[in-house]
């Protein structure tokens, strides 16, 4: 279901103002305190941000992928930690349920996910199962009308705030790899479920990741998403979609950095003129602009293709690969254009440089995207 053009433009305008006027002034504070203030989270809820991708019948905005990418690009223009507040509800934390859940499961959880009352997390990664995510060892043993979960998950975004986890666990220990895995909805507060302390990270301070440990956690069988053995498929389809959203955030971040570079380069004077007059500085701006434009075009084209119902596994991987590597190069050039100031915390550029580094790692590292792109190309 897509919004009419006026409503979409109004929504984007409102979000743009929120990002520019409310969030950007808070960037340094959020990084310093490693927390997004509660009143900001409340405002995000009021804006409907937690429900961007949740179908309207469950209280969300039901945006198309193209519309969601446009919102993600606007949010890319500020610290990624802000997007993380609602990012799991929009993407990896809710989409298994949206795509594969039963009506009853959707009725039970989606309305609260859409309002942000319920924060969600996606728990796939484990200490021994990172890029090789089909190597999941967390065990889900059937016991009557329940499953009993044991194992641990690592680096789970928003785990300390989540009320609901989508957990991938092995239901069939005799079937190694993808086919033995199932997906479960596990509410916070389930006896035996515990959350580790937030990890100290390189960047994106204000967004938290923690271990999630399951010790004889009983989960009703009705909380399984999809059929037994379908969990890996659920996870891959969720990530397929999530990668496009992340790529859109990278585009927004690059565009923000380019604007910051232009503002600085036109103001900062050396050798009697603005450094923007020097062609070697212009070359950096040109390279960044060109790459950001190419990434924007790729992401938007892929989003539109996805909205037709076509498979975009290859294109989503290419979007994430190109956009996340691109924003890394743009951030690196931004440090260079700012010179010494680029390395000094007060200017915020070094913070962005650290923040965007993550995009090349999570939701599938660049190497994993390359493997997907090659596999799909060779197969095609
Ligand atoms: C801040 C943060 C948030 C995260 N949030 C979540 C979350 O919410 N939920 C979740 O489930 N996970 C989450 N993750 C985990 C993330 O998805 C993994 O860290 C990522 O997939 C890489 O896995 P790994 O860390 O085990 O690295 P490894 O798999 O050990 O990879 C190490 C290096 O080897 C390379 N490599 C691995 N296999 C191959 C191969 N076959 N060919 C070529 N190169 C290869 C990788 O590309 C990488 O460069 C998060 C991680 C971080 C840091």
């Amino acid at each position: 279901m897509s919004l009419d053009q006026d409503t979409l433009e109004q929504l984007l305008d409102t979000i743009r103002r929120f990002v520019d006027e409310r969030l950007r002034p808070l960037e340094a504070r959020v990084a310093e305190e490693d927390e997004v203030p509660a009143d900001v989270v409340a405002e995000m809820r009021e804006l409907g941000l937690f429900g961007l991708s949740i179908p309207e019948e469950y209280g969300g905005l039901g945006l198309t992928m193209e519309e969601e990418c446009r919102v993600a690009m606007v949010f890319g223009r500020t610290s990624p930690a802000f997007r993380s507040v609602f990012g799991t509800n929009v993407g990896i934390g809710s989409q298994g349920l949206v795509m594969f859940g039963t009506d009853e499961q959707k009725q039970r959880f989606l309305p609260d996910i859409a309002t942000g009352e319920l924060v969600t997390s996606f728990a796939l990664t484990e200490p021994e199962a990172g890029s090789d995510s089909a190597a999941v060892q967390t065990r889900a043993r059937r016991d009557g009308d329940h499953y009993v979960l044991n194992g641990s998950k690592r680096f789970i975004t928003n785990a300390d705030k989540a009320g609901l986890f989508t957990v991938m666990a092995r239901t069939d220990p005799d079937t190694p790899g993808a086919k033995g895995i199932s997906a479960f909805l596990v509410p916070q507060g389930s006896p035996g479920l515990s959350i580790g302390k937030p990890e100290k990270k390189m960047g994106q301070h204000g967004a938290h990741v923690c271990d999630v440990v399951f010790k004889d956690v009983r989960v009703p069988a009705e909380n399984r998403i999809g059929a037994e053995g379908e969990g890996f498929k659920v996870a891959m389809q969720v990530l397929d979609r999530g990668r496009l959203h992340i790529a859109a955030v990278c585009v927004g971040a690059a565009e923000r950095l380019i604007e910051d570079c232009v503002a600085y380069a036109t103001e900062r004077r050396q050798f009697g003129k603005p450094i923007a007059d020097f062609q070697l500085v212009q070359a950096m701006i040109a390279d960044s602009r060109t790459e950001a434009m190419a990434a924007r075009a790729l992401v938007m084209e892929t989003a539109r293709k996805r909205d037709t119902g076509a498979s975009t596994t290859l294109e989503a991987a290419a979007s994430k690969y190109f956009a996340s590597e691109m924003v890394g190069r743009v951030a690196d050039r931004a440090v260079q254009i700012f010179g010494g100031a680029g390395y000094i915390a007060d200017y915020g550029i070094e913070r962005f440089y650290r923040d965007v580094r993550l995009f090349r790692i999570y939701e599938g590292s660049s190497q994993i995207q390359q493997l997907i792109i090659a596999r799909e190309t060779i197969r095609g």
Side-chain angles (χ1 to χ4, degrees):
M1 165 84 200
S2 95
L3 298 182
D4 69 64
Q5 200 54 31
D6 282 352
T7 315
L8 176 65
E9 293 308 328
Q10 263 176 26
L11 175 73
L12 289 167
D13 265 1
T14 308
I15 295 175
R16 219 172 274 129
R17 270 203 310 280
F18 181 64
V19 165
D20 288 347
E21 294 165 18
R22 183 75 172 114
L23 303 186
R24 285 175 63 154
L26 290 173
E27 288 173 357
R29 179 180 147 196
V30 165
E32 184 76 20
E33 295 176 0
D34 194 19
E35 196 70 57
V36 175
D39 52 343
V40 171
V41 177
E43 287 165 48
M44 288 175 171
R45 287 178 58 178
E46 263 168 43
L47 283 169
L49 295 171
F50 287 85
L52 293 175
S53 63
I54 309 296
E56 279 176 295
E57 55 186 306
Y58 300 105
L61 293 180
L63 298 191
T64 63
M65 199 66 222
E66 182 184 353
E67 292 165 348
E68 184 185 319
C69 282
R70 289 188 66 187
V71 173
M73 285 177 187
V74 176
F75 254 90
R77 299 170 54 80
T78 186
S79 296
F82 289 117
R83 187 210 60 94
S84 258
V85 170
F86 60 87
T88 47
N89 277 37
V90 170
I92 54 178
S94 72
Q95 290 304 307
L97 181 52
V98 170
M99 291 187 220
F100 293 91
T102 62
D103 282 348
E104 192 276 327
Q105 288 171 335
K106 291 182 189 180
Q107 293 286 359
R108 188 148 54 110
F109 296 114
L110 287 181
D112 286 347
I113 295 174
T115 60
E117 202 155 304
L118 191 62
V119 171
T120 57
S121 278
F122 174 81
L124 174 63
T125 304
E126 299 181 357
E128 302 304 326
S131 299
D132 185 9
S133 48
V136 158
Q137 289 174 7
T138 294
R139 178 82 169 92
R141 178 177 54 79
R142 184 84 192 219
D143 180 23
D145 54 2
H146 280 73
Y147 288 87
V148 182
L149 268 61
N150 279 288
S152 51
K153 297 290 178 178
R154 177 180 264 186
F155 305 154
I156 305 306
T157 301
N158 283 340
D160 54 341
K161 313 231 164 36
L164 186 68
F165 297 86
T166 301
V167 181
M168 267 51 67
R170 188 164 297 282
T171 34
D172 184 354
D174 300 325
T175 307
K179 291 214 163 66
I181 298 170
S182 304
F184 297 93
L185 295 163
V186 184
Q188 164 63 308
S190 303
L193 173 71
S194 59
I195 312 294
K197 279 209 313 234
E199 303 283 356
K200 288 190 178 150
K201 314 198 301 318
M202 173 194 275
Q204 301 210 6
H205 298 138
H208 296 171
V209 294
C210 316
D211 282 356
V212 180
V213 178
F214 303 88
K215 214 167 167 207
D216 293 329
V217 177
R218 292 183 71 78
V219 179
E222 71 218 28
N223 280 22
R224 197 187 62 227
I225 307 179
E228 219 178 72
E230 263 199 345
F232 193 73
K233 184 172 117 191
V234 172
M236 290 307 108
Q237 299 223 1
V238 166
L239 289 172
D240 216 30
R241 190 182 180 289
R243 284 169 185 156
L244 205 42
H245 178 106
I246 295 293
V249 174
C250 293
V251 170
E255 292 176 350
R256 150 79 185 269
L257 283 163
I258 293 165
E259 281 174 25
D260 286 358
C261 286
V262 169
Y264 186 81
T266 45
E267 200 171 284
R268 171 73 178 163
R269 297 176 73 84
Q270 287 295 283
F271 302 96
K273 44 180 157 172
I275 59 167
D277 283 3
F278 299 124
Q279 289 180 336
L280 293 177
V281 173
Q282 291 175 7
M284 288 192 272
I285 292 171
D287 285 352
S288 292
R289 188 80 202 271
T290 306
E291 290 193 74
M293 287 168 71
R296 176 179 271 272
L298 177 59
V299 170
M300 293 308 282
E301 184 179 302
T302 304
R304 286 186 202 113
K305 182 172 175 190
R306 195 187 155 90
D307 285 333
T308 67
S311 162
T312 52
T313 299
L314 188 158
E315 293 89 340
S319 298
K320 192 207 176 236
Y321 175 46
F322 183 71
S324 63
E325 294 282 338
M326 174 279 295
V327 74
R329 292 189 292 270
V330 169
D332 187 66
R333 288 185 203 112
V335 173
Q336 201 65 19
I337 289 171
F338 273 68
Y343 203 73
I344 300 296
D346 276 354
Y347 293 81
I349 297 297
E350 62 82 36
R351 188 186 61 236
F352 251 93
Y353 177 82
R354 288 182 285 106
D355 283 352
V356 300
R357 188 63 183 84
L358 179 59
F359 296 132
R360 289 154 65 187
I361 298 170
Y362 72 177
E363 300 205 19
S365 66
S366 286
Q367 289 68 41
I368 295 306
Q369 307 309 328
Q370 286 176 298
L371 294 180
I372 296 171
I373 297 162
R375 181 195 70 203
E376 295 294 313
T377 304
I378 293 163
R379 189 192 277 169

